Amino acid sequence: MMKLLRHLECILSGIMSVNGKKVLHMDRNPYYGGESASITPLEDLYKRFKIPGAPPASMGRGRDWNVDLIPKFLMANGQLVKMLLYTEVTRYLDFKVTEGSFVYKGGKIYKVPSTEAEALASSLMGLFEKRRFRKFLVYVANFDEKDPRTFEGIDPMKTAMRDVYKKFDLGQDVIDFTGHALALYRTDDYLDQPCCETINRIKLYSESLARYGKSPYLYPLYGLGELPQGFARLSAIYGGTYMLNKPIEEIIVQNGKVIGVKSEGEVARCKQLICDPSYVQDRVEKVGQVLRVICILSHPIKNTNDANSCQIIIPQNQVNRKSDIYVCMISSAHNVAAQGKYIAIVSTTVETKEPEKEIRPALELLEPIEQKFVSISDLLVPKDLGTESQIFISRAYDATTHFETTCDDIKDIYKRMTGSEFDFEEMKRKKNDIYGED
């Protein structure tokens, strides 16, 4: 089996190696992670975005920077953390808890209440609304889809989420922040879908919060580039082979099935291939675009209590859009920026012909901005499941600032490749396995 890679493909190669598959991993880039890499030193980021001249001296040492092109946080109780724990890749990484999650309402940002006490003190809601919201949170915490006694007359597979909000008499602002800052939906389509998934998403948020208290999000020291490297080491322990800086000349298909990949005149044979959309332009289609703006600041974001890391979600209703705007901020505390510097990355799904205007509300929260790096990337998805060709293509990264949707894609590819559901228990390393180190 062969992989052409980003985070997602690196994670899959680690998992497949543990499952006894023989893996060869090729990347045309000189670094791990493809389009989702962390770029260092800062000079390389300036070059990549074609910004003339060298970074000013005020930016500190170039090698102190590690800037994610696609920033995402990990949910403390989410699927990726489970994958890291089960494969013991955690031994190669250090994480820090993000200091807070904020939500935008009427031009201002408010901390997303993370405890009952915070909910009661929050200026997001009036007193009566707080009581109703608290009742709703208690309902969600007790909800168990396997135990009908916890349903209170709601059918998780039939009742729309809109009706659940009605039952608890929650107003529009509260619905906005519950759906977008807790359940982390990007649009309002979920309101008319069965409530089970939304309730489980809010549970995941609460349980992730309960683990560390400040926020439900974790972020690795030295940036997300550490993740693919951790899974690469895991793959190597199980006999996987890695090749960086390897130009891919051609994917060879015979009678509709992949048989190998040609690089530098040689063909590496394989029965299955996993790759991201950039390697197979003819097998993917564009379903939209994502705008990302990396901003370097010399100050924490206003009204975040000087947090050294945070997430801000701007629900689409608040800015008359169809999809949310995300801001993800990290700093020198994570060894990704020079001392006293902050990196804030704004991302959203493009909706108009003037994408930069769409994110103005987010950029205003970040002023003054020292330097901006703007990118627009196509949202590409595979045209088919890959069952016939055995070429399994991942989806392009979306605008969300957490890894849950990426993990759904990993599980989906796993199922398409193996024919069986992804099982966390299967991934636990056997105790008698040979570790790469103590």
Side-chain angles (χ1 to χ4, degrees):
M1 180 206 307
M2 195 171 309
K3 298 280 189 342
L4 309 173
L5 91 182
R6 294 176 317 182
H7 284 150
L8 190 145
E9 290 76 23
C10 288
I11 294 167
L12 267 164
S13 75
I15 291 165
M16 292 299 185
S17 303
V18 173
N19 279 356
K21 293 256 191 197
K22 199 171 165 203
V23 174
L24 166 65
H25 214 128
M26 294 162 90
D27 194 337
R28 54 165 90 104
N29 296 300
Y31 47 76
Y32 291 105
E35 59 162 354
S36 55
S38 305
I39 302 294
T40 183
L42 188 60
E43 287 74 4
D44 284 11
L45 191 69
Y46 272 66
K47 274 186 212 134
R48 193 183 175 102
F49 284 90
K50 300 186 171 57
I51 288 172
S58 63
M59 294 286 186
R61 284 191 316 189
R63 65 172 183 274
D64 287 344
W65 293 82
N66 250 320
V67 182
D68 296 328
L69 295 178
I70 298 183
K72 286 187 186 280
F73 290 136
L74 289 80
M75 287 289 257
N77 240 20
Q79 305 177 80
L80 183 54
V81 169
K82 275 189 187 155
M83 290 179 190
L84 290 165
L85 287 167
Y86 278 78
T87 52
E88 296 187 13
V89 170
T90 39
R91 62 173 63 216
Y92 311 129
L93 301 163
D94 282 315
F95 289 94
K96 255 194 150 130
V97 182
T98 307
E99 292 201 341
S101 188
F102 295 82
V103 65
Y104 182 93
K105 175 189 156 188
K108 291 201 184 92
I109 59 171
Y110 299 85
K111 187 165 191 306
V112 175
S114 54
T115 60
E116 268 183 36
E118 274 188 12
L120 291 171
S122 170
S123 48
L124 262 175
M125 307 170 262
L127 181 64
F128 295 109
E129 187 107 78
K130 282 175 184 166
R131 286 181 188 162
R132 295 195 289 268
F133 180 62
R134 188 171 165 267
K135 247 191 184 150
F136 168 73
L137 285 183
V138 169
Y139 172 75
V140 168
N142 293 329
F143 176 86
D144 176 355
E145 58 188 288
K146 295 186 184 72
D147 181 359
R149 289 172 304 184
T150 65
F151 294 174
E152 293 182 25
I154 288 169
D155 179 341
M157 295 309 168
K158 290 206 179 101
T159 311
M161 193 60 207
R162 192 185 291 282
D163 297 327
V164 178
Y165 288 141
K166 268 197 198 117
K167 177 184 162 83
F168 288 93
D169 198 17
L170 299 177
Q172 189 55 52
D173 281 345
V174 175
I175 290 173
D176 272 356
F177 95 74
T178 304
H180 295 264
L182 299 180
L184 300 173
Y185 283 107
R186 285 168 287 166
T187 68
D188 269 348
D189 297 349
Y190 80 95
L191 286 169
D192 297 306
Q193 289 159 2
C195 63
C196 191
E197 183 176 344
T198 304
I199 291 174
N200 283 330
R201 280 176 170 226
I202 299 169
K203 271 176 98 78
L204 169 67
Y205 189 95
S206 310
E207 287 161 4
S208 295
L209 245 178
R211 287 186 73 162
Y212 300 105
K214 279 183 179 173
S215 90
Y217 302 111
L218 301 174
Y219 182 82
L221 290 183
Y222 300 103
L224 293 176
E226 296 297 291
L227 282 174
Q229 291 189 51
F231 280 102
R233 290 178 73 174
L234 171 74
S235 181
I237 288 167
Y238 284 88
T241 307
Y242 266 72
M243 292 179 171
L244 293 175
N245 245 337
K246 208 66 183 128
I248 308 299
E249 283 149 24
E250 188 190 350
I251 292 170
I252 302 169
V253 176
Q254 217 174 50
N255 304 330
K257 241 191 181 60
V258 68
I259 57 159
V261 173
K262 189 175 177 188
S263 171
E264 300 176 307
E266 293 182 329
V267 175
R269 290 184 141 338
C270 67
K271 292 196 173 93
Q272 292 181 309
L273 171 73
I274 299 177
C275 62
D276 76 56
S278 67
Y279 289 92
V280 278
Q281 299 290 347
D282 54 331
R283 292 175 183 267
V284 293
E285 56 190 343
K286 179 175 158 182
V287 291
Q289 289 185 310
V290 178
L291 166 71
R292 294 187 180 89
V293 182
I294 300 171
C295 303
I296 294 180
L297 320 175
S298 293
H299 58 88
I301 298 172
K302 291 185 213 65
N303 305 319
T304 60
N305 208 359
D306 292 347
N308 64 33
S309 57
C310 67
Q311 165 166 281
I312 302 168
I313 292 177
I314 304 181
Q316 27 79 299
N317 272 338
Q318 294 289 328
V319 283
N320 297 321
R321 287 170 50 79
K322 292 189 204 68
S323 44
D324 294 354
I325 303 171
Y326 295 90
V327 181
C328 156
M329 192 270 281
I330 45 191
S331 64
S332 51
H334 304 86
N335 306 353
V336 292
Q339 215 39 51
K341 298 288 179 188
Y342 299 78
I343 303 169
I345 306 179
V346 179
S347 53
T348 195
T349 307
V350 174
E351 293 181 6
T352 68
K353 295 272 184 291
E354 299 179 278
E356 281 194 67
K357 269 194 182 158
E358 298 181 40
I359 55 160
R360 218 177 254 158
L363 295 178
E364 281 166 6
L365 297 173
L366 306 179
E367 293 294 352
I369 297 167
E370 240 175 287
Q371 181 64 55
K372 278 194 312 206
F373 304 87
V374 181
S375 70
I376 293 178
S377 37
D378 290 344
L379 262 176
L380 301 169
V381 300
K383 287 181 189 169
D384 66 65
L385 298 174
T387 329
E388 276 180 36
S389 64
Q390 291 291 294
I391 297 173
F392 302 96
I393 307 161
S394 55
R395 301 169 74 86
Y397 286 115
D398 61 31
T400 58
T401 44
H402 55 82
F403 273 104
E404 294 306 297
T405 49
T406 309
C407 290
D408 291 340
D409 198 21
I410 288 172
K411 287 156 94 168
D412 178 49
I413 293 175
Y414 182 91
K415 187 178 178 181
R416 280 164 26 202
M417 287 185 73
T418 63
S420 56
E421 291 291 341
F422 183 89
D423 179 7
F424 280 114
E425 292 304 313
E426 282 287 299
M427 281 179 56
K428 281 191 172 167
R429 288 185 175 189
K430 319 274 185 298
K431 282 285 173 264
N432 56 2
D433 273 342
I434 303 149
Y435 289 115
E437 55 189 53
D438 284 340

